[in-house]
Amino acid sequence: MKTTDHSAPFASGFRQFALLGLIPLSLALLTPAQAEDAQPPVVDPGQPGGAPSDAIVLFAGKDLSQFRGQNQPEPKWKVENGAVESTPPGGIFSKEEFADCQLHVEWAAPAVPAGEGQGRGNSGVYLMGRYEIQVLDCYNNKTYPNGQCGAFYGHNPPLVNACRKPGEWQVYDIIFHAPKRLADGKVQPGSYTVLHNGVLIQDHIPVGEASTTAAPLSGYAEKGPLYLQDHGNPVCFRNIWIRRLDAAAK
Ligand code: MG
C-alpha cells in the first residue's frame, strides 16, 4: 500500500534552511548569548584549609600586623606556635574595614575547661565590629540559646550545636552581607550565613542596622573592621582570611 511521506517536504525545507547557514544563527538565538570574555575570574582555592588567591590574609600565624588593639594602638594578644591567644585587656580590630565578605577563622577554646555557661571559652567574631557570632565552649556546657556557640549573639541561636571538644581546632566559615542604606533613607537588612566545622548553623539570618548586642561599635556604617573579642578567657585563633564580596568596596 502506498503511504505518503509527510516528512519529505519538511526534510527538503530543512536542507534549504541549513544550506543558507541559518541553523547556527537560530541556535545562537535560542541560547543565552554570552561573550567568552565574560568568564568569571579565576581564583586559586589553595590547599585545604588555606587561603584562596583573592583573600586578604589577616593572620597567618606569625604576627598581628593587620590588627590594632581595642584600647591601645598595638594589640597585646600573645602570638605563639602559629596561633594568637586572646589576652586582656581588650579585643583586636582589623586595620582594614569590610562590608559584604566571606570570612574564614579557626579557633580553639582552652583545653582544660574552666568556668560555666558564658564563662567558658568565651570570645566572639564581630563583622563590622558590630554583629557578633559567638565563640564559646559549648561542649557539654549549657547556656541561653541565643548566646551559645555559633549564635548570632542576642538574636538567633545556631541551628545545631556542632562544637568540638575543648582544645580542638574549630572552624567558622561566614558569609556576611552588611545592612545598606537605600536612596529613601531606609536601611535594608543584611544577613549572616555561618558554617561551624562545615555544618550550617546560621542560614541567611537577617542582620538589622541595630542588631548590635554588647558590641564595641554601633550605629550605621557602610563598612567596619573585623573584631575579635577578649572576654577574659584564653581562646586561640589561627588562619584568619577574608574575601571582599562587594566590588564597590574594593
Ligand atoms: Mg562572646
Side-chain angles (χ1 to χ4, degrees):
M1 189 175 80
K2 186 179 179 182
T3 57
T4 304
D5 182 1
H6 293 288
S7 68
F10 173 77
S12 172
F14 186 82
R15 275 195 298 275
Q16 290 174 6
F17 190 65
L19 286 171
L20 287 171
L22 294 177
I23 287 178
L25 177 61
S26 64
L27 288 176
L29 292 173
L30 290 171
T31 55
Q34 289 187 313
E36 285 190 5
D37 59 2
Q39 296 288 307
V42 172
V43 171
D44 178 352
Q47 297 302 308
S53 57
D54 64 346
I56 298 167
V57 176
L58 295 178
F59 178 70
K62 291 195 174 77
D63 62 68
L64 286 175
S65 57
Q66 300 297 313
F67 288 88
R68 60 182 173 85
Q70 183 172 11
N71 302 313
Q72 60 254 317
E74 295 300 320
K76 301 289 193 231
W77 286 23
K78 187 170 63 181
V79 177
E80 202 171 62
N81 299 324
V84 60
E85 184 178 292
S86 61
T87 311
I92 57 174
F93 291 100
S94 65
K95 290 177 180 174
E96 282 195 60
E97 298 194 339
F98 307 93
D100 299 354
C101 62
Q102 173 187 353
L103 173 69
H104 174 95
V105 55
E106 301 175 18
W107 59 272
V112 179
E116 297 293 331
Q118 293 290 306
R120 182 182 294 188
N122 194 332
S123 183
V125 174
Y126 295 62
L127 264 306
M128 296 181 64
R130 290 165 170 78
Y131 311 111
E132 180 182 15
I133 297 299
Q134 173 71 304
V135 168
L136 194 70
D137 176 6
C138 280
Y139 189 85
N140 293 330
N141 178 36
K142 286 188 177 175
T143 186
Y144 46 93
N146 67 4
Q148 81 159 77
C149 184
F152 175 19
Y153 187 81
H155 298 279
N156 201 61
L159 291 165
V160 296
N161 178 348
C163 268
R164 293 193 171 122
K165 294 177 182 175
E168 295 186 4
W169 283 105
Q170 314 206 38
V171 183
Y172 278 165
D173 286 295
I174 298 174
I175 311 298
F176 174 75
H177 289 277
K180 289 181 178 58
R181 192 180 301 287
L182 304 175
D184 63 3
K186 293 178 182 172
V187 175
Q188 169 185 287
S191 66
Y192 255 136
T193 297
V194 181
L195 287 89
H196 182 192
N197 299 324
V199 178
L200 182 67
I201 59 167
Q202 298 287 353
D203 188 3
H204 204 67
I205 298 303
V207 175
E209 175 188 10
S211 302
T212 53
T213 305
L217 302 178
S218 60
Y220 180 80
E222 290 186 351
K223 58 183 180 176
L226 170 68
Y227 172 74
L228 301 178
Q229 183 187 43
D230 167 42
H231 201 279
N233 303 141
V235 174
C236 289
F237 293 88
R238 71 178 186 185
N239 290 340
I240 306 172
W241 53 259
I242 193 164
R243 296 179 63 240
R244 295 185 186 278
L245 300 180
D246 47 345
K250 284 182 180 176

